[in-house]
Amino acid sequence: MPDLTSDPVRTANACLSRAQLREAARAAILEAAGSGRHCAVLVVAVEPKDRLLLLTEDWMDSRIAHALHCLPGTLREADRYAILGQRHCCILLPGLTNVAQALLAAHKISRDLSERLSERASEPWARVLIGIACHPDHAAEPDGLIMRADAAQQQAEWSEDDIFLFLPDAARGGAVELPASRAEVLEALTSNAYHLVYQPQVELGNGRCRSAEALLRCRLRNGTRIPPDVLARVAEQEGRIATLTMNVLNMALRQLSEWSSDGVDLHVSVNLSPYNLRDRDLAGAVASAIATWEVEPERVTLELVESSMIHNFDQAAALLNRLKAIGVRLAVDDFGTGYSCLAYLRQLPVDELKVDQSLIRHVLRSPADRQLVQATVDLAHNFGLHAVAEGVETQPMLEALSAMRCDTVQGYLISPPIEADDYLAWLADHQADVFFHLPETDRAGTAQK
Ligand code: C2E
Ligand code: MG
Ligand code: MG
């Protein structure tokens, strides 16, 4: 069992070159094969939460270098490591009895590095992302181990989890693709290699579908799919989020104006990034896009997550008021996942509360889960807001939401997001149809804003 809790100030094992680390991995694999033990490779990356820091803060590089060079204080004597560039390192853990020990070690490394990085800082400013691959479970030779640990580290970068164990193909059911590299995501952003799909929203009061949420889709030429939140996160880190958001808005407005020419006046919701709220030019840019495409502003809803409205409250409130003055609608996205700081929300000029999928998913699980959603819908109505449920997947969920007098639903039960070219055909097929069955409840008086 690796002793990962012992005195951190131990004799430092030296930092190796890449070639030395591969040789050490080869030896560790041979030794593990002979003894029936395991060994693991960890790829560690330190990622500033805000990439702007890299450009503006001189202390960044030295703080990261210092933390990485303190690694020997965390590692066992038998462990080996190499520093790769300014923010990455690769660690070899030989002689493990099982994979769980590699995970334990990764947690210890993550904790120690995070503590060193945050010394003298008021709040954590970096994520420590660790990918793990083990011999013999994931690869039989050093390069395979390193590659798989690197893939797992990228997976961590795109996910909520900072530590990721490589998942072999069988465990992934062969269905999950390896993540795109950062360079590929940047290429997708610079070449605008993305488009929008539209997910219908249905009003429960009358079964009509007048609005849709525009969602980004991006697939590289080699077939790799880049999830929309990853595309947005990299755009945020690279200072490209204003361009991405305005491209998305312009694409959605052009689409609305095309559909209007076909005689169908739809409403569209567009997602903003929290970073957009720092942009003093945003309201002007939104106003001019709306004027360019000659779309009525009230047909446009801008969605923002709750936390982005609460951080820098004064700045956010000023910008939201400017957006509201243009005439667009504002929605709180993913409500229920963040601060739920209602006293603040009340002061903001929002029109709509989108109840997060994580609450909706469990709406039928227990009376308490049901009450939570009911309370959220009631809260929206008490503040004069339109309540939208996200992630509605089954008829019983829809019926429960209808009984709660939720105003609008969105989810796979109605339809997954649809390509723009197919949208009007879908609408024609479904608009007049009863594609879900409203329960017998009297819905007169449902709050609508
Ligand atoms: P979101 O704004 O909360 O979007 C809803 C997500 O739920 C979408 O995922 C949608 O495809 C998915 N979804 C819809 N119905 C169901 C359902 O019934 N069940 C389940 N499990 N999922 C459902 P998607 O398209 O992958 O988008 C993920 C997130 O990426 C979005 O969450 C949004 O935060 C972000 N995003 C998407 N497009 C943009 C964009 O243009 N700009 C920005 N800044 N972020 C975007
Ligand atoms: Mg959204
Ligand atoms: Mg959402």
Side-chain angles (χ1 to χ4, degrees), residues 131-134 138 147-149 151-152 164-169 172 178:
I132 309 170
C134 294
H138 306 139
M147 265 173 51
R148 283 166 178 76
F164 233 87
L165 183 66
F166 180 75
L167 281 183
D169 276 351
R172 290 190 266 127
L178 282 183

Side-chain angles (χ1 to χ4, degrees), residues 110 168 235 284:
S110 165

Side-chain angles (χ1 to χ4, degrees), residues 213 215 270-271 303 333-334 354 390 410:
E213 177 173 5
L215 294 159
V270 168
N271 291 282
E303 297 188 4
D333 201 359
D334 302 347
K354 294 193 80 176
E390 297 191 281
Q410 176 181 344

